Structure formats: C-alpha cells, structure tokens
Amino acid sequence: MPYAPEHKARTRSRIVESARRLFNRHGFEQVSIDQVMAEAGLTRGGFYHHFKSKDELYAEAVASYAARNPFAVKSAKAGERVADPRRLARTLVEMYLSDTVFDDVDQHCPLYALSTDVSRAGPEPQQAYTELIRGMTHVYRCALQGSRNADRRAKALVSLCVGGMVLARTTDDPHLRKSLRASARLEALALLEG
C-alpha cells in the first residue's frame, strides 16, 4: 500500500533537516548519503524516492535555512510579525552575530557555514545560496529604503554579518571570536542608523 502524500513530505523534510545539520557540522564532501539517511532514521534505498542526487539534496538543505533559521523560528514562536523594517533588520543583526547562534552549530547559516563548499558546488546549491544572500539583502534594503546608497549599504550589512561569523569560526581564541562578532555588530548597527 503506497504512503500518503503527507508521509512522503514529512520524510523528505526529515532527510533535508538531517542533511542540513550534517553539512553544517562536516561540509558537503565529508557527508555521505548513507550518513544523511541514518541520521534521519531511514535506509539509503529511500533516498532516491525523494532526491535525484546529493547535489539536489544539498541545494534543498541550503534553501531550507530561509524558513528554519533561528530568526524565523523565534519570530514564528513569538507569533508576532515585526512591521517596522528597521526593527526587523536590527533584530536580525543582533541575532545573527549572537553567542546563542554562534554556539549552535546545527543552526549555522549556510552563508558562513558552507561558503567554501557552495563555491565548489554545482548550479543548484549555488542558486539556493544566492537566494539566501538576496533574501538577507532585501531585509536590510527595506530597512534602509529612502536612505542614500541603500543597496550598497544593505550589501555591506550582509558582508559584515556573514564576514564576522566566518572569521569568528576560524579562530581558536574565544576572546577574538567574541570581539570580531561584537565589532561587526556595532558597525552593522551603525550602518542601519546612519
């Protein structure tokens, strides 16, 4: 007897979530389909009922961050929609560069967690990654609407947030990790206000 469509969608979602966590921890090349399926509590044979390739799964795992990131999850739990674009942008900066997000590797944004992997990946993962960049830029551009050089400043905000996290992840010095993110946060907030 075939599974209901809802079952297939839930199973696919479990696979994507497992892949996203494993890719964040280990990178694309180091994670096998067998590992993803085991993490999801499934067998390898079921993989091809949901995905054509590991690249397709990778692209979906990257894209899934838009709805599953700590910022979106917190907003959904609070049940409030932030109407003020500046407040939304400020909250995003503060959360993105926070200790809580930094310490939770499973929730790391692909923009800083997978940048090297995606640069070597195929077109599907790169397109998903590009959409995340555009989405984050859009949040900042909306906050800066009507300001001089809004597009350039929005892209600088994305660069500060992502760059601050990339650099913080590369060092074993806890003080430097914290100060890199704090500096990026201060500059980003100043750009939003200026």
Side-chain angles (χ1 to χ4, degrees), residues 19-32 35-36 54 58 105 113-118 120 169:
R20 192 186 56 71
R21 281 192 311 269
L22 288 169
F23 292 145
N24 270 1
R25 291 181 203 155
H26 309 291
F28 178 75
E29 292 297 327
Q30 301 302 315
V31 175
S32 69
Q35 289 170 310
V36 169
K54 185 178 164 187
Y58 190 50
V105 176
L114 304 174
S115 57
T116 325
D117 281 352
V118 171
R120 292 187 293 260
R169 283 181 53 149

mmCIF file with all atom_site columns, all heavy atoms in Angstrom, residues 19-32 35-36 54 58 105 113-118 120 169:
data_model
loop_
_atom_site.group_PDB
_atom_site.id
_atom_site.type_symbol
_atom_site.label_atom_id
_atom_site.label_alt_id
_atom_site.label_comp_id
_atom_site.label_asym_id
_atom_site.label_entity_id
_atom_site.label_seq_id
_atom_site.pdbx_PDB_ins_code
_atom_site.Cartn_x
_atom_site.Cartn_y
_atom_site.Cartn_z
_atom_site.occupancy
_atom_site.B_iso_or_equiv
_atom_site.pdbx_formal_charge
_atom_site.auth_seq_id
_atom_site.auth_comp_id
_atom_site.auth_asym_id
_atom_site.auth_atom_id
_atom_site.pdbx_PDB_model_num
ATOM 1   N N   . ALA A 1 19  ? 20.311 16.358 6.646  1.00 0.00 ? 19  ALA A N   1
ATOM 2   C CA  . ALA A 1 19  ? 21.390 16.792 5.750  1.00 0.00 ? 19  ALA A CA  1
ATOM 3   C C   . ALA A 1 19  ? 21.907 18.168 6.149  1.00 0.00 ? 19  ALA A C   1
ATOM 4   O O   . ALA A 1 19  ? 23.120 18.395 6.198  1.00 0.00 ? 19  ALA A O   1
ATOM 5   C CB  . ALA A 1 19  ? 20.884 16.820 4.308  1.00 0.00 ? 19  ALA A CB  1
ATOM 6   N N   . ARG A 1 20  ? 20.993 19.081 6.459  1.00 0.00 ? 20  ARG A N   1
ATOM 7   C CA  . ARG A 1 20  ? 21.402 20.432 6.836  1.00 0.00 ? 20  ARG A CA  1
ATOM 8   C C   . ARG A 1 20  ? 22.298 20.409 8.067  1.00 0.00 ? 20  ARG A C   1
ATOM 9   O O   . ARG A 1 20  ? 23.358 21.045 8.093  1.00 0.00 ? 20  ARG A O   1
ATOM 10  C CB  . ARG A 1 20  ? 20.163 21.307 7.091  1.00 0.00 ? 20  ARG A CB  1
ATOM 11  C CG  . ARG A 1 20  ? 20.471 22.788 7.201  1.00 0.00 ? 20  ARG A CG  1
ATOM 12  C CD  . ARG A 1 20  ? 19.252 23.594 7.597  1.00 0.00 ? 20  ARG A CD  1
ATOM 13  N NE  . ARG A 1 20  ? 18.671 23.130 8.833  1.00 0.00 ? 20  ARG A NE  1
ATOM 14  C CZ  . ARG A 1 20  ? 19.219 23.285 10.040 1.00 0.00 ? 20  ARG A CZ  1
ATOM 15  N NH1 . ARG A 1 20  ? 20.377 23.892 10.164 1.00 0.00 ? 20  ARG A NH1 1
ATOM 16  N NH2 . ARG A 1 20  ? 18.629 22.826 11.113 1.00 0.00 ? 20  ARG A NH2 1
ATOM 17  N N   . ARG A 1 21  ? 21.911 19.636 9.071  1.00 0.00 ? 21  ARG A N   1
ATOM 18  C CA  . ARG A 1 21  ? 22.740 19.540 10.287 1.00 0.00 ? 21  ARG A CA  1
ATOM 19  C C   . ARG A 1 21  ? 24.104 18.920 9.980  1.00 0.00 ? 21  ARG A C   1
ATOM 20  O O   . ARG A 1 21  ? 25.134 19.436 10.412 1.00 0.00 ? 21  ARG A O   1
ATOM 21  C CB  . ARG A 1 21  ? 22.019 18.695 11.351 1.00 0.00 ? 21  ARG A CB  1
ATOM 22  C CG  . ARG A 1 21  ? 20.946 19.437 12.095 1.00 0.00 ? 21  ARG A CG  1
ATOM 23  C CD  . ARG A 1 21  ? 20.468 18.671 13.322 1.00 0.00 ? 21  ARG A CD  1
ATOM 24  N NE  . ARG A 1 21  ? 20.146 17.282 13.080 1.00 0.00 ? 21  ARG A NE  1
ATOM 25  C CZ  . ARG A 1 21  ? 18.937 16.825 12.747 1.00 0.00 ? 21  ARG A CZ  1
ATOM 26  N NH1 . ARG A 1 21  ? 17.934 17.664 12.611 1.00 0.00 ? 21  ARG A NH1 1
ATOM 27  N NH2 . ARG A 1 21  ? 18.744 15.538 12.559 1.00 0.00 ? 21  ARG A NH2 1
ATOM 28  N N   . LEU A 1 22  ? 24.117 17.841 9.225  1.00 0.00 ? 22  LEU A N   1
ATOM 29  C CA  . LEU A 1 22  ? 25.390 17.174 8.913  1.00 0.00 ? 22  LEU A CA  1
ATOM 30  C C   . LEU A 1 22  ? 26.282 18.042 8.033  1.00 0.00 ? 22  LEU A C   1
ATOM 31  O O   . LEU A 1 22  ? 27.497 18.109 8.248  1.00 0.00 ? 22  LEU A O   1
ATOM 32  C CB  . LEU A 1 22  ? 25.131 15.819 8.257  1.00 0.00 ? 22  LEU A CB  1
ATOM 33  C CG  . LEU A 1 22  ? 24.593 14.746 9.189  1.00 0.00 ? 22  LEU A CG  1
ATOM 34  C CD1 . LEU A 1 22  ? 24.115 13.528 8.403  1.00 0.00 ? 22  LEU A CD1 1
ATOM 35  C CD2 . LEU A 1 22  ? 25.648 14.337 10.207 1.00 0.00 ? 22  LEU A CD2 1
ATOM 36  N N   . PHE A 1 23  ? 25.713 18.700 7.037  1.00 0.00 ? 23  PHE A N   1
ATOM 37  C CA  . PHE A 1 23  ? 26.507 19.588 6.189  1.00 0.00 ? 23  PHE A CA  1
ATOM 38  C C   . PHE A 1 23  ? 27.101 20.721 7.019  1.00 0.00 ? 23  PHE A C   1
ATOM 39  O O   . PHE A 1 23  ? 28.260 21.092 6.827  1.00 0.00 ? 23  PHE A O   1
ATOM 40  C CB  . PHE A 1 23  ? 25.682 20.151 5.028  1.00 0.00 ? 23  PHE A CB  1
ATOM 41  C CG  . PHE A 1 23  ? 25.271 19.129 3.999  1.00 0.00 ? 23  PHE A CG  1
ATOM 42  C CD1 . PHE A 1 23  ? 24.048 19.241 3.358  1.00 0.00 ? 23  PHE A CD1 1
ATOM 43  C CD2 . PHE A 1 23  ? 26.088 18.063 3.663  1.00 0.00 ? 23  PHE A CD2 1
ATOM 44  C CE1 . PHE A 1 23  ? 23.657 18.321 2.395  1.00 0.00 ? 23  PHE A CE1 1
ATOM 45  C CE2 . PHE A 1 23  ? 25.702 17.124 2.704  1.00 0.00 ? 23  PHE A CE2 1
ATOM 46  C CZ  . PHE A 1 23  ? 24.481 17.260 2.068  1.00 0.00 ? 23  PHE A CZ  1
ATOM 47  N N   . ASN A 1 24  ? 26.331 21.275 7.934  1.00 0.00 ? 24  ASN A N   1
ATOM 48  C CA  . ASN A 1 24  ? 26.845 22.340 8.798  1.00 0.00 ? 24  ASN A CA  1
ATOM 49  C C   . ASN A 1 24  ? 28.027 21.852 9.628  1.00 0.00 ? 24  ASN A C   1
ATOM 50  O O   . ASN A 1 24  ? 28.999 22.565 9.826  1.00 0.00 ? 24  ASN A O   1
ATOM 51  C CB  . ASN A 1 24  ? 25.762 22.866 9.734  1.00 0.00 ? 24  ASN A CB  1
ATOM 52  C CG  . ASN A 1 24  ? 24.990 24.010 9.146  1.00 0.00 ? 24  ASN A CG  1
ATOM 53  O OD1 . ASN A 1 24  ? 25.235 24.430 8.030  1.00 0.00 ? 24  ASN A OD1 1
ATOM 54  N ND2 . ASN A 1 24  ? 24.046 24.528 9.900  1.00 0.00 ? 24  ASN A ND2 1
ATOM 55  N N   . ARG A 1 25  ? 27.918 20.655 10.147 1.00 0.00 ? 25  ARG A N   1
ATOM 56  C CA  . ARG A 1 25  ? 28.980 20.117 11.014 1.00 0.00 ? 25  ARG A CA  1
ATOM 57  C C   . ARG A 1 25  ? 30.221 19.684 10.248 1.00 0.00 ? 25  ARG A C   1
ATOM 58  O O   . ARG A 1 25  ? 31.341 19.853 10.728 1.00 0.00 ? 25  ARG A O   1
ATOM 59  C CB  . ARG A 1 25  ? 28.456 18.898 11.779 1.00 0.00 ? 25  ARG A CB  1
ATOM 60  C CG  . ARG A 1 25  ? 27.431 19.207 12.820 1.00 0.00 ? 25  ARG A CG  1
ATOM 61  C CD  . ARG A 1 25  ? 27.020 17.925 13.527 1.00 0.00 ? 25  ARG A CD  1
ATOM 62  N NE  . ARG A 1 25  ? 25.706 18.079 14.125 1.00 0.00 ? 25  ARG A NE  1
ATOM 63  C CZ  . ARG A 1 25  ? 24.884 17.080 14.387 1.00 0.00 ? 25  ARG A CZ  1
ATOM 64  N NH1 . ARG A 1 25  ? 25.232 15.850 14.095 1.00 0.00 ? 25  ARG A NH1 1
ATOM 65  N NH2 . ARG A 1 25  ? 23.717 17.306 14.933 1.00 0.00 ? 25  ARG A NH2 1
ATOM 66  N N   . HIS A 1 26  ? 30.022 19.086 9.061  1.00 0.00 ? 26  HIS A N   1
ATOM 67  C CA  . HIS A 1 26  ? 31.138 18.408 8.396  1.00 0.00 ? 26  HIS A CA  1
ATOM 68  C C   . HIS A 1 26  ? 31.436 18.879 6.973  1.00 0.00 ? 26  HIS A C   1
ATOM 69  O O   . HIS A 1 26  ? 32.465 18.508 6.414  1.00 0.00 ? 26  HIS A O   1
ATOM 70  C CB  . HIS A 1 26  ? 30.891 16.897 8.358  1.00 0.00 ? 26  HIS A CB  1
ATOM 71  C CG  . HIS A 1 26  ? 30.544 16.320 9.694  1.00 0.00 ? 26  HIS A CG  1
ATOM 72  N ND1 . HIS A 1 26  ? 31.450 16.238 10.733 1.00 0.00 ? 26  HIS A ND1 1
ATOM 73  C CD2 . HIS A 1 26  ? 29.376 15.831 10.176 1.00 0.00 ? 26  HIS A CD2 1
ATOM 74  C CE1 . HIS A 1 26  ? 30.857 15.702 11.788 1.00 0.00 ? 26  HIS A CE1 1
ATOM 75  N NE2 . HIS A 1 26  ? 29.597 15.452 11.481 1.00 0.00 ? 26  HIS A NE2 1
ATOM 76  N N   . GLY A 1 27  ? 30.542 19.617 6.359  1.00 0.00 ? 27  GLY A N   1
ATOM 77  C CA  . GLY A 1 27  ? 30.739 20.041 4.972  1.00 0.00 ? 27  GLY A CA  1
ATOM 78  C C   . GLY A 1 27  ? 30.179 19.029 3.986  1.00 0.00 ? 27  GLY A C   1
ATOM 79  O O   . GLY A 1 27  ? 29.929 17.877 4.324  1.00 0.00 ? 27  GLY A O   1
ATOM 80  N N   . PHE A 1 28  ? 29.994 19.479 2.769  1.00 0.00 ? 28  PHE A N   1
ATOM 81  C CA  . PHE A 1 28  ? 29.370 18.671 1.724  1.00 0.00 ? 28  PHE A CA  1
ATOM 82  C C   . PHE A 1 28  ? 30.161 17.403 1.407  1.00 0.00 ? 28  PHE A C   1
ATOM 83  O O   . PHE A 1 28  ? 29.609 16.312 1.361  1.00 0.00 ? 28  PHE A O   1
ATOM 84  C CB  . PHE A 1 28  ? 29.196 19.518 0.463  1.00 0.00 ? 28  PHE A CB  1
ATOM 85  C CG  . PHE A 1 28  ? 28.599 18.768 -0.694 1.00 0.00 ? 28  PHE A CG  1
ATOM 86  C CD1 . PHE A 1 28  ? 27.250 18.467 -0.700 1.00 0.00 ? 28  PHE A CD1 1
ATOM 87  C CD2 . PHE A 1 28  ? 29.380 18.390 -1.770 1.00 0.00 ? 28  PHE A CD2 1
ATOM 88  C CE1 . PHE A 1 28  ? 26.681 17.775 -1.767 1.00 0.00 ? 28  PHE A CE1 1
ATOM 89  C CE2 . PHE A 1 28  ? 28.827 17.706 -2.839 1.00 0.00 ? 28  PHE A CE2 1
ATOM 90  C CZ  . PHE A 1 28  ? 27.477 17.399 -2.846 1.00 0.00 ? 28  PHE A CZ  1
ATOM 91  N N   . GLU A 1 29  ? 31.445 17.545 1.161  1.00 0.00 ? 29  GLU A N   1
ATOM 92  C CA  . GLU A 1 29  ? 32.264 16.412 0.727  1.00 0.00 ? 29  GLU A CA  1
ATOM 93  C C   . GLU A 1 29  ? 32.377 15.309 1.777  1.00 0.00 ? 29  GLU A C   1
ATOM 94  O O   . GLU A 1 29  ? 32.495 14.140 1.451  1.00 0.00 ? 29  GLU A O   1
ATOM 95  C CB  . GLU A 1 29  ? 33.668 16.892 0.335  1.00 0.00 ? 29  GLU A CB  1
ATOM 96  C CG  . GLU A 1 29  ? 33.701 17.747 -0.906 1.00 0.00 ? 29  GLU A CG  1
ATOM 97  C CD  . GLU A 1 29  ? 33.241 17.020 -2.156 1.00 0.00 ? 29  GLU A CD  1
ATOM 98  O OE1 . GLU A 1 29  ? 33.470 15.792 -2.276 1.00 0.00 ? 29  GLU A OE1 1
ATOM 99  O OE2 . GLU A 1 29  ? 32.618 17.688 -3.011 1.00 0.00 ? 29  GLU A OE2 1
ATOM 100 N N   . GLN A 1 30  ? 32.352 15.703 3.043  1.00 0.00 ? 30  GLN A N   1
ATOM 101 C CA  . GLN A 1 30  ? 32.573 14.740 4.126  1.00 0.00 ? 30  GLN A CA  1
ATOM 102 C C   . GLN A 1 30  ? 31.316 13.962 4.527  1.00 0.00 ? 30  GLN A C   1
ATOM 103 O O   . GLN A 1 30  ? 31.404 13.012 5.292  1.00 0.00 ? 30  GLN A O   1
ATOM 104 C CB  . GLN A 1 30  ? 33.132 15.456 5.360  1.00 0.00 ? 30  GLN A CB  1
ATOM 105 C CG  . GLN A 1 30  ? 34.430 16.172 5.119  1.00 0.00 ? 30  GLN A CG  1
ATOM 106 C CD  . GLN A 1 30  ? 35.518 15.237 4.606  1.00 0.00 ? 30  GLN A CD  1
ATOM 107 O OE1 . GLN A 1 30  ? 35.695 14.148 5.128  1.00 0.00 ? 30  GLN A OE1 1
ATOM 108 N NE2 . GLN A 1 30  ? 36.222 15.663 3.580  1.00 0.00 ? 30  GLN A NE2 1
ATOM 109 N N   . VAL A 1 31  ? 30.171 14.355 3.997  1.00 0.00 ? 31  VAL A N   1
ATOM 110 C CA  . VAL A 1 31  ? 28.910 13.724 4.385  1.00 0.00 ? 31  VAL A CA  1
ATOM 111 C C   . VAL A 1 31  ? 28.418 12.832 3.247  1.00 0.00 ? 31  VAL A C   1
ATOM 112 O O   . VAL A 1 31  ? 28.309 13.276 2.109  1.00 0.00 ? 31  VAL A O   1
ATOM 113 C CB  . VAL A 1 31  ? 27.843 14.799 4.720  1.00 0.00 ? 31  VAL A CB  1
ATOM 114 C CG1 . VAL A 1 31  ? 26.494 14.156 5.005  1.00 0.00 ? 31  VAL A CG1 1
ATOM 115 C CG2 . VAL A 1 31  ? 28.301 15.638 5.906  1.00 0.00 ? 31  VAL A CG2 1
ATOM 116 N N   . SER A 1 32  ? 28.113 11.597 3.590  1.00 0.00 ? 32  SER A N   1
ATOM 117 C CA  . SER A 1 32  ? 27.607 10.657 2.577  1.00 0.00 ? 32  SER A CA  1
ATOM 118 C C   . SER A 1 32  ? 26.078 10.563 2.650  1.00 0.00 ? 32  SER A C   1
ATOM 119 O O   . SER A 1 32  ? 25.460 10.914 3.662  1.00 0.00 ? 32  SER A O   1
ATOM 120 C CB  . SER A 1 32  ? 28.200 9.268  2.804  1.00 0.00 ? 32  SER A CB  1
ATOM 121 O OG  . SER A 1 32  ? 27.672 8.702  3.999  1.00 0.00 ? 32  SER A OG  1
ATOM 122 N N   . GLN A 1 35  ? 25.088 8.486  5.579  1.00 0.00 ? 35  GLN A N   1
ATOM 123 C CA  . GLN A 1 35  ? 25.075 9.206  6.859  1.00 0.00 ? 35  GLN A CA  1
ATOM 124 C C   . GLN A 1 35  ? 23.814 10.044 7.019  1.00 0.00 ? 35  GLN A C   1
ATOM 125 O O   . GLN A 1 35  ? 23.213 10.075 8.089  1.00 0.00 ? 35  GLN A O   1
ATOM 126 C CB  . GLN A 1 35  ? 26.312 10.109 6.977  1.00 0.00 ? 35  GLN A CB  1
ATOM 127 C CG  . GLN A 1 35  ? 27.604 9.358  7.166  1.00 0.00 ? 35  GLN A CG  1
ATOM 128 C CD  . GLN A 1 35  ? 28.804 10.279 7.038  1.00 0.00 ? 35  GLN A CD  1
ATOM 129 O OE1 . GLN A 1 35  ? 28.938 11.043 6.080  1.00 0.00 ? 35  GLN A OE1 1
ATOM 130 N NE2 . GLN A 1 35  ? 29.680 10.223 8.036  1.00 0.00 ? 35  GLN A NE2 1
ATOM 131 N N   . VAL A 1 36  ? 23.421 10.724 5.950  1.00 0.00 ? 36  VAL A N   1
ATOM 132 C CA  . VAL A 1 36  ? 22.212 11.549 5.994  1.00 0.00 ? 36  VAL A CA  1
ATOM 133 C C   . VAL A 1 36  ? 21.001 10.681 6.309  1.00 0.00 ? 36  VAL A C   1
ATOM 134 O O   . VAL A 1 36  ? 20.189 11.008 7.176  1.00 0.00 ? 36  VAL A O   1
ATOM 135 C CB  . VAL A 1 36  ? 21.999 12.309 4.662  1.00 0.00 ? 36  VAL A CB  1
ATOM 136 C CG1 . VAL A 1 36  ? 20.620 12.952 4.612  1.00 0.00 ? 36  VAL A CG1 1
ATOM 137 C CG2 . VAL A 1 36  ? 23.087 13.339 4.450  1.00 0.00 ? 36  VAL A CG2 1
ATOM 138 N N   . LYS A 1 54  ? 22.823 13.868 -4.568 1.00 0.00 ? 54  LYS A N   1
ATOM 139 C CA  . LYS A 1 54  ? 23.273 14.553 -3.351 1.00 0.00 ? 54  LYS A CA  1
ATOM 140 C C   . LYS A 1 54  ? 23.294 16.064 -3.571 1.00 0.00 ? 54  LYS A C   1
ATOM 141 O O   . LYS A 1 54  ? 22.977 16.838 -2.660 1.00 0.00 ? 54  LYS A O   1
ATOM 142 C CB  . LYS A 1 54  ? 24.664 14.027 -2.969 1.00 0.00 ? 54  LYS A CB  1
ATOM 143 C CG  . LYS A 1 54  ? 25.196 14.573 -1.668 1.00 0.00 ? 54  LYS A CG  1
ATOM 144 C CD  . LYS A 1 54  ? 26.561 13.940 -1.373 1.00 0.00 ? 54  LYS A CD  1
ATOM 145 C CE  . LYS A 1 54  ? 27.310 14.707 -0.312 1.00 0.00 ? 54  LYS A CE  1
ATOM 146 N NZ  . LYS A 1 54  ? 28.681 14.212 -0.131 1.00 0.00 ? 54  LYS A NZ  1
ATOM 147 N N   . TYR A 1 58  ? 21.584 18.842 -1.310 1.00 0.00 ? 58  TYR A N   1
ATOM 148 C CA  . TYR A 1 58  ? 22.389 19.944 -0.779 1.00 0.00 ? 58  TYR A CA  1
ATOM 149 C C   . TYR A 1 58  ? 21.710 21.284 -1.056 1.00 0.00 ? 58  TYR A C   1
ATOM 150 O O   . TYR A 1 58  ? 21.599 22.135 -0.177 1.00 0.00 ? 58  TYR A O   1
ATOM 151 C CB  . TYR A 1 58  ? 23.774 19.884 -1.402 1.00 0.00 ? 58  TYR A CB  1
ATOM 152 C CG  . TYR A 1 58  ? 24.802 20.805 -0.795 1.00 0.00 ? 58  TYR A CG  1
ATOM 153 C CD1 . TYR A 1 58  ? 25.019 20.852 0.569  1.00 0.00 ? 58  TYR A CD1 1
ATOM 154 C CD2 . TYR A 1 58  ? 25.579 21.627 -1.606 1.00 0.00 ? 58  TYR A CD2 1
ATOM 155 C CE1 . TYR A 1 58  ? 25.982 21.687 1.118  1.00 0.00 ? 58  TYR A CE1 1
ATOM 156 C CE2 . TYR A 1 58  ? 26.553 22.448 -1.065 1.00 0.00 ? 58  TYR A CE2 1
ATOM 157 C CZ  . TYR A 1 58  ? 26.746 22.480 0.294  1.00 0.00 ? 58  TYR A CZ  1
ATOM 158 O OH  . TYR A 1 58  ? 27.698 23.299 0.828  1.00 0.00 ? 58  TYR A OH  1
ATOM 159 N N   . VAL A 1 105 ? 25.976 25.052 16.364 1.00 0.00 ? 105 VAL A N   1
ATOM 160 C CA  . VAL A 1 105 ? 26.497 24.708 15.033 1.00 0.00 ? 105 VAL A CA  1
ATOM 161 C C   . VAL A 1 105 ? 25.394 24.180 14.119 1.00 0.00 ? 105 VAL A C   1
ATOM 162 O O   . VAL A 1 105 ? 25.386 24.455 12.923 1.00 0.00 ? 105 VAL A O   1
ATOM 163 C CB  . VAL A 1 105 ? 27.647 23.678 15.147 1.00 0.00 ? 105 VAL A CB  1
ATOM 164 C CG1 . VAL A 1 105 ? 28.129 23.224 13.787 1.00 0.00 ? 105 VAL A CG1 1
ATOM 165 C CG2 . VAL A 1 105 ? 28.800 24.269 15.941 1.00 0.00 ? 105 VAL A CG2 1
ATOM 166 N N   . ALA A 1 113 ? 28.506 29.034 7.098  1.00 0.00 ? 113 ALA A N   1
ATOM 167 C CA  . ALA A 1 113 ? 28.884 27.660 7.414  1.00 0.00 ? 113 ALA A CA  1
ATOM 168 C C   . ALA A 1 113 ? 29.332 26.874 6.191  1.00 0.00 ? 113 ALA A C   1
ATOM 169 O O   . ALA A 1 113 ? 30.149 25.975 6.302  1.00 0.00 ? 113 ALA A O   1
ATOM 170 C CB  . ALA A 1 113 ? 27.711 26.940 8.083  1.00 0.00 ? 113 ALA A CB  1
ATOM 171 N N   . LEU A 1 114 ? 28.797 27.212 5.033  1.00 0.00 ? 114 LEU A N   1
ATOM 172 C CA  . LEU A 1 114 ? 29.048 26.387 3.847  1.00 0.00 ? 114 LEU A CA  1
ATOM 173 C C   . LEU A 1 114 ? 29.623 27.153 2.664  1.00 0.00 ? 114 LEU A C   1
ATOM 174 O O   . LEU A 1 114 ? 29.616 26.652 1.550  1.00 0.00 ? 114 LEU A O   1
ATOM 175 C CB  . LEU A 1 114 ? 27.725 25.726 3.416  1.00 0.00 ? 114 LEU A CB  1
ATOM 176 C CG  . LEU A 1 114 ? 27.017 24.885 4.471  1.00 0.00 ? 114 LEU A CG  1
ATOM 177 C CD1 . LEU A 1 114 ? 25.657 24.428 3.965  1.00 0.00 ? 114 LEU A CD1 1
ATOM 178 C CD2 . LEU A 1 114 ? 27.867 23.695 4.876  1.00 0.00 ? 114 LEU A CD2 1
ATOM 179 N N   . SER A 1 115 ? 30.126 28.347 2.907  1.00 0.00 ? 115 SER A N   1
ATOM 180 C CA  . SER A 1 115 ? 30.552 29.191 1.780  1.00 0.00 ? 115 SER A CA  1
ATOM 181 C C   . SER A 1 115 ? 31.600 28.529 0.891  1.00 0.00 ? 115 SER A C   1
ATOM 182 O O   . SER A 1 115 ? 31.508 28.597 -0.334 1.00 0.00 ? 115 SER A O   1
ATOM 183 C CB  . SER A 1 115 ? 31.058 30.545 2.279  1.00 0.00 ? 115 SER A CB  1
ATOM 184 O OG  . SER A 1 115 ? 32.111 30.373 3.199  1.00 0.00 ? 115 SER A OG  1
ATOM 185 N N   . THR A 1 116 ? 32.570 27.877 1.462  1.00 0.00 ? 116 THR A N   1
ATOM 186 C CA  . THR A 1 116 ? 33.607 27.232 0.650  1.00 0.00 ? 116 THR A CA  1
ATOM 187 C C   . THR A 1 116 ? 33.042 26.063 -0.134 1.00 0.00 ? 116 THR A C   1
ATOM 188 O O   . THR A 1 116 ? 33.366 25.888 -1.302 1.00 0.00 ? 116 THR A O   1
ATOM 189 C CB  . THR A 1 116 ? 34.756 26.725 1.532  1.00 0.00 ? 116 THR A CB  1
ATOM 190 O OG1 . THR A 1 116 ? 34.955 27.614 2.613  1.00 0.00 ? 116 THR A OG1 1
ATOM 191 C CG2 . THR A 1 116 ? 36.044 26.638 0.780  1.00 0.00 ? 116 THR A CG2 1
ATOM 192 N N   . ASP A 1 117 ? 32.187 25.272 0.516  1.00 0.00 ? 117 ASP A N   1
ATOM 193 C CA  . ASP A 1 117 ? 31.558 24.142 -0.163 1.00 0.00 ? 117 ASP A CA  1
ATOM 194 C C   . ASP A 1 117 ? 30.703 24.608 -1.335 1.00 0.00 ? 117 ASP A C   1
ATOM 195 O O   . ASP A 1 117 ? 30.764 24.042 -2.420 1.00 0.00 ? 117 ASP A O   1
ATOM 196 C CB  . ASP A 1 117 ? 30.647 23.371 0.802  1.00 0.00 ? 117 ASP A CB  1
ATOM 197 C CG  . ASP A 1 117 ? 31.411 22.437 1.717  1.00 0.00 ? 117 ASP A CG  1
ATOM 198 O OD1 . ASP A 1 117 ? 32.618 22.263 1.523  1.00 0.00 ? 117 ASP A OD1 1
ATOM 199 O OD2 . ASP A 1 117 ? 30.776 21.891 2.629  1.00 0.00 ? 117 ASP A OD2 1
ATOM 200 N N   . VAL A 1 118 ? 29.885 25.621 -1.104 1.00 0.00 ? 118 VAL A N   1
ATOM 201 C CA  . VAL A 1 118 ? 28.971 26.078 -2.141 1.00 0.00 ? 118 VAL A CA  1
ATOM 202 C C   . VAL A 1 118 ? 29.740 26.642 -3.330 1.00 0.00 ? 118 VAL A C   1
ATOM 203 O O   . VAL A 1 118 ? 29.339 26.458 -4.475 1.00 0.00 ? 118 VAL A O   1
ATOM 204 C CB  . VAL A 1 118 ? 27.951 27.100 -1.584 1.00 0.00 ? 118 VAL A CB  1
ATOM 205 C CG1 . VAL A 1 118 ? 27.144 27.742 -2.702 1.00 0.00 ? 118 VAL A CG1 1
ATOM 206 C CG2 . VAL A 1 118 ? 27.015 26.419 -0.604 1.00 0.00 ? 118 VAL A CG2 1
ATOM 207 N N   . ARG A 1 120 ? 32.247 25.543 -4.642 1.00 0.00 ? 120 ARG A N   1
ATOM 208 C CA  . ARG A 1 120 ? 32.697 24.427 -5.486 1.00 0.00 ? 120 ARG A CA  1
ATOM 209 C C   . ARG A 1 120 ? 31.538 23.544 -5.937 1.00 0.00 ? 120 ARG A C   1
ATOM 210 O O   . ARG A 1 120 ? 31.743 22.587 -6.674 1.00 0.00 ? 120 ARG A O   1
ATOM 211 C CB  . ARG A 1 120 ? 33.705 23.574 -4.715 1.00 0.00 ? 120 ARG A CB  1
ATOM 212 C CG  . ARG A 1 120 ? 35.018 24.265 -4.448 1.00 0.00 ? 120 ARG A CG  1
ATOM 213 C CD  . ARG A 1 120 ? 36.030 23.309 -3.835 1.00 0.00 ? 120 ARG A CD  1
ATOM 214 N NE  . ARG A 1 120 ? 35.657 22.888 -2.511 1.00 0.00 ? 120 ARG A NE  1
ATOM 215 C CZ  . ARG A 1 120 ? 36.135 23.389 -1.376 1.00 0.00 ? 120 ARG A CZ  1
ATOM 216 N NH1 . ARG A 1 120 ? 37.000 24.369 -1.425 1.00 0.00 ? 120 ARG A NH1 1
ATOM 217 N NH2 . ARG A 1 120 ? 35.760 22.927 -0.215 1.00 0.00 ? 120 ARG A NH2 1
ATOM 218 N N   . ARG A 1 169 ? 34.503 31.937 13.273 1.00 0.00 ? 169 ARG A N   1
ATOM 219 C CA  . ARG A 1 169 ? 34.563 30.466 13.224 1.00 0.00 ? 169 ARG A CA  1
ATOM 220 C C   . ARG A 1 169 ? 35.979 29.956 12.958 1.00 0.00 ? 169 ARG A C   1
ATOM 221 O O   . ARG A 1 169 ? 36.265 28.787 13.192 1.00 0.00 ? 169 ARG A O   1
ATOM 222 C CB  . ARG A 1 169 ? 33.644 29.943 12.127 1.00 0.00 ? 169 ARG A CB  1
ATOM 223 C CG  . ARG A 1 169 ? 32.189 29.960 12.509 1.00 0.00 ? 169 ARG A CG  1
ATOM 224 C CD  . ARG A 1 169 ? 31.359 29.401 11.401 1.00 0.00 ? 169 ARG A CD  1
ATOM 225 N NE  . ARG A 1 169 ? 31.861 28.084 11.016 1.00 0.00 ? 169 ARG A NE  1
ATOM 226 C CZ  . ARG A 1 169 ? 31.120 27.110 10.546 1.00 0.00 ? 169 ARG A CZ  1
ATOM 227 N NH1 . ARG A 1 169 ? 29.851 27.281 10.392 1.00 0.00 ? 169 ARG A NH1 1
ATOM 228 N NH2 . ARG A 1 169 ? 31.643 25.954 10.204 1.00 0.00 ? 169 ARG A NH2 1
#
